[in-house]
Amino acid sequence: MDLLLFGPPGAGKGTQAKFLIDLLRIPQISTGDMMRAERKSGSELGRQFDEYMSAGKLVPDSLVLDLILKRLTQEDAKNGAIFDGYPRTVAQAESLDALLEKLDRRIDRVVSLDVPLQDIVERVTGRRVCLDCGQTYHVRYSPPPQNGECVSCGGNKIVQRSDDTEEVVRKRYEEYKAKTEPVLAHYGAKGVVKGVEGVGSLEEITERIKEAIGVE
Ligand code: AMP
C-alpha cells in the first residue's frame, strides 16, 4: 500500500506514521527527516536545505525530487510506503504519481488529518526532539525526563527544533495553506482522500486512521 499522511505542520503525521510502520510493514518516508539528516551531515546539500527550513519556507521541488528518487528505489520501499510531509506541492504530487506509475503503483489512500491552527501552534512550540534518535516529546503532554536523558536511546541532546518557534510555525502554516493544501484537491479528484479528525488521544487518532484505510 502507498499511503499519504496529509495535514499541516504539527498535525501528528510523523507520530502516527511511527504506529503504522509496524501495522502495515512498510517504511515511513519523511522528507523533513531526510533533510534534517542531510543538514546534520554538514553537506553542501544540507546547507541549501537549511536556508529554506530555518525560514519556514518550502525547499524547491527539484531538490526534493532527487531525495525521493533515491529513497523509493531502496529495497524496503518496494511494496509501498507511508509518505509523511511529502508531496507538499501539486508539482511534487504529479512527479510522485509519475514515479509510482513506472513502478505499477499509485497513492492508494490519502489520510488528511484535520487540526485547528491554535492546536498546531501549541503542539509545535511545545515539541522537543532527541537529536540522536528522533524521539519526540511535548513539554506538557509527554515531557522529556528530568535528567535530560532520552527514554529511547539514552542520549542527552533533547532540544527544540529550530523551526518549531511560533514565528516559524506561523510561516510554515502559511506555506501549507498556499502551496500544500491544493494537493488535497489533486488527490480528491482521484477519489482516494479520507478526512480524519486529528484532535484527541494518540490512540483515538490511530484508530480513526486504521478505519480510514480499512485495516484492523
Ligand atoms: P517537516 O519535518 O515535514 O515539518 O519539514 C520541515 C521543513 O523541511 C519544512 O518546513 C520545509 O522547509 C522542509 N520540507 C520537508 N519536506 C518538504 C517537501 N516535501 N517539500 C519542500 N520542503 C520540505
Side-chain angles (χ1 to χ4, degrees):
M1 169 186 278
D2 282 290
L3 170 69
L4 169 52
L5 287 182
F6 190 84
K13 304 183 292 290
T15 306
Q16 292 297 331
K18 302 269 182 308
F19 292 121
L20 297 170
I21 292 171
D22 289 338
L23 189 75
L24 303 174
R25 294 168 196 271
I26 49 177
Q28 168 195 19
I29 297 186
S30 157
T31 43
D33 285 350
M34 290 158 79
M35 288 172 189
R36 278 183 287 279
E38 193 68 46
R39 201 171 54 173
K40 201 171 156 193
S41 79
S43 70
E44 169 55 25
L45 183 61
R47 198 199 51 74
Q48 287 181 45
F49 289 155
D50 184 55
E51 256 178 52
Y52 299 95
M53 294 169 84
S54 50
K57 291 188 186 155
L58 291 186
V59 168
D61 291 338
S62 56
L63 295 181
V64 184
L65 188 61
D66 288 347
L67 277 184
I68 286 291
L69 267 173
K70 275 190 217 146
R71 184 65 188 90
L72 254 190
T73 47
Q74 284 169 8
E75 181 65 18
D76 65 334
K78 73 174 194 301
N79 293 323
I82 304 164
F83 295 96
D84 154 19
Y86 171 86
R88 258 179 157 102
T89 62
V90 172
Q92 287 181 18
E94 285 166 349
S95 52
L96 175 63
D97 293 348
L99 261 175
L100 288 175
E101 200 179 331
K102 280 195 200 139
L103 303 168
D104 201 21
R105 285 159 53 180
R106 69 209 55 78
I107 293 293
D108 300 295
R109 175 66 70 213
V110 177
V111 169
S112 173
L113 290 167
D114 190 20
V115 181
L117 176 60
Q118 205 183 328
D119 294 63
I120 287 170
V121 172
E122 208 250 341
R123 281 185 191 184
V124 174
T125 55
R127 176 159 65 188
R128 299 293 180 269
V129 58
C130 169
L131 279 184
D132 291 321
C133 73
Q135 171 74 39
T136 54
Y137 300 88
H138 188 281
V139 287
R140 251 177 78 190
Y141 308 116
S142 54
Q146 294 235 319
N147 65 5
E149 278 180 18
C150 175
V151 290
S152 268
C153 73
N156 62 356
K157 292 192 231 62
I158 299 175
V159 299
Q160 181 177 40
R161 258 168 60 176
S162 57
D163 60 345
D164 276 352
T165 59
E166 177 156 355
E167 189 194 349
V168 181
V169 83
R170 288 191 182 274
K171 178 69 196 160
R172 287 161 66 198
Y173 189 75
E174 271 173 34
E175 287 277 90
Y176 167 78
K177 279 288 185 193
K179 298 180 185 159
T180 307
E181 215 171 48
V183 171
L184 212 50
H186 171 85
Y187 286 112
K190 298 177 192 287
V192 293
V193 176
K194 284 253 169 127
V196 163
E197 195 193 341
V199 180
S201 72
L202 292 181
E203 295 77 16
E204 276 165 353
I205 300 166
T206 308
E207 283 309 311
R208 288 177 206 144
I209 296 177
K210 281 161 71 176
E211 201 184 318
I213 58 182
V215 295
E216 293 285 300

